Amino acid sequence: MTGCQAELPPHSDHRCAVASDGTSIVLDFDSYGVNQRSHAHIVARLQAEPHITTLKIIINQANIQQPEHLYHYLRGFGVPVLQFVPFVALDDVGALTTESVHAEQWGAFLIAVFDLWVQQDIETLHIQYIDAALAIWCGQGSPFSGDNALLAEECRECPVLRFCHGDCPQHRIADDGKSALCAGYRQFFTYSAPYMKALRDLLKQHRSPMELMTMLAQSR
């Protein structure tokens, strides 16, 4: 396995559960920090399973607060695809658990990761939700085609429905029937729209999407 050059995060008192489903490894940190043993375990799994193409990372209340550090740490493993999975669960009284992420945090996390990707890693790193959104912008993805009757009324008229599809049914736990992460998704898809349009136009002109990285660098 090459590319396992990840920099160990600065914490040392937390654990990470590592599971594999054949082509991907699922990382479930109980906090962002991973200790030497956890880090070595991840490296060992990647070395033992060189066919792994995806890291699936469970995003919880702790690691959502360090998107830049988390991004660079994961990027250092050299695995070409990252998939971020938000943790959302209810406690016994119907409130979000303390580990669950909130909509505004999720939106800020997605935007922070997107900003890093669009400035540094277009065409070299694939992030599942970015790839899926870009495919829809390019007319190649799968816009929402489900049963609108299953969605909250506000969702049916939402301009970003074609991207979020109403989110996973198990996340639709808000009082109005919307996803608990609705505002975050709307924030991200609205923010990323100008960049996605630029990427779409470059691809339609058979130009490299990496040209956008150059344009952004020149504008800074």
Side-chain angles (χ1 to χ4, degrees):
M1 169 70 188
T2 60
C4 291
Q5 307 298 320
E7 178 185 356
L8 191 66
H11 308 292
S12 60
D13 57 346
H14 304 288
R15 296 169 295 170
C16 172
V18 183
S20 173
D21 62 8
T23 60
S24 63
I25 289 179
V26 181
L27 305 181
D28 189 359
F29 298 99
D30 65 354
S31 180
Y32 170 63
V34 293
N35 57 28
Q36 293 284 351
R37 181 178 300 176
S38 300
H39 179 75
H41 191 184
I42 298 170
V43 173
R45 292 297 292 267
L46 292 173
Q47 291 173 335
E49 302 181 62
H51 54 281
I52 293 296
T53 59
T54 302
L55 292 180
K56 294 181 181 179
I57 306 93
I58 308 301
I59 301 300
N60 57 30
Q61 185 58 226
N63 60 21
I64 199 171
Q65 299 177 38
Q66 302 189 60
E68 293 86 0
H69 201 161
L70 180 62
Y71 180 90
H72 287 297
Y73 173 66
L74 297 168
R75 179 177 180 257
F77 285 113
V79 177
V81 181
L82 300 180
Q83 181 177 352
F84 297 103
V85 182
F87 181 80
V88 177
L90 296 178
D91 60 21
D92 293 339
V93 297
L96 287 174
T97 63
T98 56
E99 297 87 359
S100 295
V101 303
H102 296 266
E104 292 76 13
Q105 293 175 311
W106 183 234
F109 177 86
L110 295 181
I111 288 172
V113 169
F114 179 80
D115 279 342
L116 292 167
W117 175 84
V118 81
Q119 294 176 39
Q120 303 174 15
D121 294 314
I122 294 176
E123 286 198 333
T124 60
L125 182 65
H126 294 276
I127 299 176
Q128 187 268 339
Y129 65 84
I130 296 176
D131 281 1
L134 181 57
I136 293 173
W137 274 107
C138 293
Q140 301 169 347
S142 300
F144 182 74
S145 59
D147 187 350
N148 277 343
L150 300 177
L151 296 174
E153 183 175 354
E154 185 178 344
C155 293
R156 301 172 200 171
E157 304 298 327
C158 179
V160 304
L161 176 61
R162 61 179 177 143
F163 302 112
C164 76
H165 297 188
D167 199 10
C168 302
Q170 59 265 37
H171 290 173
R172 299 175 194 169
I173 54 179
D175 292 339
D176 54 8
K178 296 188 298 183
S179 165
L181 303 176
C182 172
Y185 279 118
R186 187 162 186 162
Q187 181 184 5
F188 165 70
F189 290 123
T190 301
Y191 174 86
S192 62
Y195 302 92
M196 292 293 189
K197 290 177 182 177
L199 289 169
R200 176 199 62 193
D201 293 344
L202 287 170
L203 291 168
K204 282 186 175 181
Q205 297 166 24
H206 304 287
R207 295 163 61 187
S208 170
M210 293 183 70
E211 289 185 38
L212 180 56
M213 289 171 51
T214 303
M215 289 186 281
L216 292 174
Q218 292 174 343
S219 67
R220 291 201 296 270

